[in-house]
Amino acid sequence: MDQWQELEAKYFMRTFSRVPLTFVRGQGAHLWDADGKEYLDFVSGWAVDSLGHCHPAVVKAVQEQVATLIQTSNQYYTVPQVQLAELLVKNSALDRVFFCNSGAEANEGAAKLARRYGEQFLNGAYEIVTTLGSFHGRTLMMVAATGQQRHQQLYAPLPNGFVNVAFNDIDAIRAATTERTCAVMLEPIQGEGGVNVPDAGYLKAVREWCDERGILLILDEIQTGIGRCGSLFAYQQFGIVPDIITLAKGIASGLPIGAFLATERASVFQPGEHGSTFGGNPVMCAAAYATLSYILEQGLVAHAAAMGERLVRGLLALKTKYPVVGEVRGRGLLLAVEFDREIGQDMLDGCLTAGLLVNRVKPNAIRLMPPLNVTPEEVDAGLAILDRVLAETTL
Ligand SMILES: *Cc1c(COP(=O)(O)O)cnc(C)c1O
């Protein structure tokens, strides 16, 4: 343990079970720890660093903005947030945006918007149907939305207004819909829950059900959005248009910003009904604008799709070589590899020693989410390390 880890243990709340590494520098898909050891980063700050670490386009945008104007409050207009709003709206099927600071806050805002919609159009309906195994954030309300007992038990009593039903089960959503329901909220692919991809017809069926009942469909694209799954938004791959989407992780390549977008019909907030002190901060918006413009101009969405296919091909080859490897699943550069036994932690540890960062998403699965601009060489280098570690781990 280095001195920073000892000091952390002394001063921090005990919320994080951290990997014993202290990072001091990053560049592209590479990180360096306090001892100068280099790592290939297939975690990307939890699918956050879309352009890798310290991308020059993001660094330049932040440096320029931070030296020009940092914060004014939302009583006034600032340029970067309007530019970012236009870019997001023009490249999505949604019409209006609200900026906040994190994913949980984006989901809170979306839930509040759905309640306003229910109040105005659905006789005061307020309940939101969400799914088991989902992850929607850490605020008390999002703990209620997140269908995971281990998060919920700790914080009873939870706020009212959420019903958790099985994922990938349209009948469960139908059965849970009542006069009180104003919306269904889902991740198009469950991220923290283990990279769970629903059956082909599921999201379409949910969309049709929401239309039939006149309720809103909220897609939590906080992890799946901004090119991560090989399309700018994951909903595009499922042939549907949601009423509301929430975004955060990948928008600004590492700077904290969240957003939710809604269609015109669902954009029912009136002045004063929602707000944020820091949301839409010019520096975060400049970083997000730089990230998103770069992704669009450089064709990084298609690149991410191609790199995802390359990674999957390599992982399937490993599956042939090592019987311990089970399902390889996900879309684009949001992938999980499942094993037939609980070697997730051993794989993570082995990869660390060999210089590759992966996430242990379940006891028997690891998750891979390299930056969108990862190169073919870096993908192959990651695969070579996984090959070696699999050999050692399953000896
Ligand atoms: C990470 C995540 C969140 C929470 O985002 P925070 O910025 O940590 O609040 C919500 N939903 C999904 C799908 C996520 O992956």
Side-chain angles (χ1 to χ4, degrees):
M1 269 213 311
D2 63 32
Q3 55 167 325
W4 303 113
Q5 292 170 31
E6 281 164 30
L7 289 170
E8 194 267 6
K10 180 165 180 217
Y11 292 119
F12 265 67
M13 298 260 176
R14 299 181 192 86
T15 52
F16 300 109
S17 321
R18 303 188 206 245
V19 176
L21 282 178
T22 306
F23 286 118
V24 294
R25 189 162 70 84
Q27 193 65 57
H30 303 269
L31 278 169
W32 285 266
D33 73 9
D35 300 327
K37 180 174 169 183
E38 184 179 337
Y39 296 82
L40 183 57
D41 184 5
F42 279 13
V43 174
S44 305
W46 258 324
V48 164
D49 308 310
S50 298
L51 303 184
H53 297 281
C54 304
H55 191 280
V58 179
V59 170
K60 180 166 176 281
V62 170
Q63 283 178 337
E64 281 177 11
Q65 189 59 47
V66 88
T68 307
L69 181 65
I70 296 179
Q71 164 76 349
T72 63
S73 92
N74 282 312
Q75 296 174 82
Y76 310 105
Y77 297 86
T78 53
V79 180
Q81 61 174 234
V82 184
Q83 290 176 324
L84 176 61
E86 182 179 32
L87 197 60
L88 282 168
V89 167
K90 285 198 165 157
N91 286 284
S92 71
L94 294 303
D95 301 311
R96 292 182 182 275
V97 66
F98 181 91
F99 291 122
C100 51
N101 311 288
S102 69
E105 222 188 306
N107 285 337
E108 287 272 334
K112 285 173 74 179
L113 184 61
R115 284 195 180 186
R116 292 300 299 133
Y117 188 89
E119 164 31 49
Q120 289 173 44
F121 299 112
L122 300 166
N123 299 314
Y126 62 89
E127 223 165 59
I128 300 178
V129 179
T130 65
T131 61
L132 296 169
S134 62
F135 185 78
H136 297 298
R138 301 284 193 162
T139 61
L140 207 45
M141 188 143 151
M142 284 308 122
V143 169
T146 293
Q148 294 192 45
Q149 267 234 315
R150 69 191 167 98
H151 289 303
Q152 294 186 342
Q153 275 163 356
L154 305 170
Y155 297 106
L158 293 174
N160 242 320
F162 293 91
V163 187
N164 314 138
V165 304
F167 184 61
N168 199 22
D169 181 349
I170 181 62
D171 290 332
I173 290 179
R174 287 196 184 113
T177 307
T178 68
E179 294 300 300
R180 295 187 301 278
T181 310
C182 66
V184 174
M185 179 158 89
L186 300 169
E187 298 159 84
I189 296 171
Q190 289 186 334
E192 303 306 303
V195 190
N196 306 319
V197 185
D199 294 341
Y202 175 64
L203 287 168
K204 250 198 168 123
V206 177
R207 174 72 275 181
E208 280 161 18
W209 177 247
C210 289
D211 288 341
E212 197 176 319
R213 296 294 300 232
I215 61 179
L216 299 177
L217 174 57
I218 305 170
L219 287 188
D220 178 344
E221 292 239 25
I222 287 164
Q223 186 157 152
T224 56
I226 315 292
R228 176 57 46 193
C229 292
S231 51
L232 190 57
F233 303 103
Y235 73 76
Q236 297 165 319
Q237 296 185 38
F238 295 95
I240 58 159
V241 174
D243 302 297
I244 303 175
I245 61 170
T246 58
L247 300 172
K249 291 198 162 80
I251 316 181
S253 212
L255 282 97
I257 177 170
F260 58 96
L261 287 90
T263 57
E264 191 64 50
R265 179 176 73 96
S267 297
V268 296
F269 279 146
Q270 292 302 310
E273 292 185 353
H274 193 50
S276 174
T277 299
F278 290 118
N281 170 282
V283 181
M284 305 311 136
C285 287
Y289 186 80
T291 300
L292 191 55
S293 328
Y294 190 90
I295 289 172
L296 295 169
E297 283 159 18
Q298 302 295 317
L300 279 189
V301 176
H303 176 80
M307 290 305 99
E309 281 165 26
R310 189 182 187 97
L311 194 47
V312 167
R313 268 199 309 277
L315 293 169
L316 291 175
L318 294 179
K319 179 178 154 82
T320 323
K321 193 164 165 189
Y322 302 97
V324 69
V325 178
E327 194 184 13
V328 174
R329 59 175 180 260
R331 293 278 175 94
L333 288 172
L334 180 59
L335 298 170
V337 185
E338 195 157 298
F339 307 106
D340 72 0
R341 64 198 91 136
E342 300 197 343
I343 56 164
Q345 190 62 43
D346 298 336
M347 285 300 297
L348 184 148
D349 293 340
C351 286
L352 279 188
T353 307
L356 173 69
L357 303 180
V358 301
N359 166 245
R360 189 204 63 116
V361 71
K362 287 166 108 181
N364 66 338
I366 57 169
R367 180 171 40 164
L368 308 174
M369 36 196 165
L372 305 185
N373 57 352
V374 69
T375 64
E377 295 74 26
E378 287 163 344
V379 167
D380 295 349
L383 285 165
I385 292 177
L386 286 169
D387 190 347
R388 263 188 0 247
V389 175
L390 271 167
E392 290 160 14
T393 306
T394 59
L395 216 66

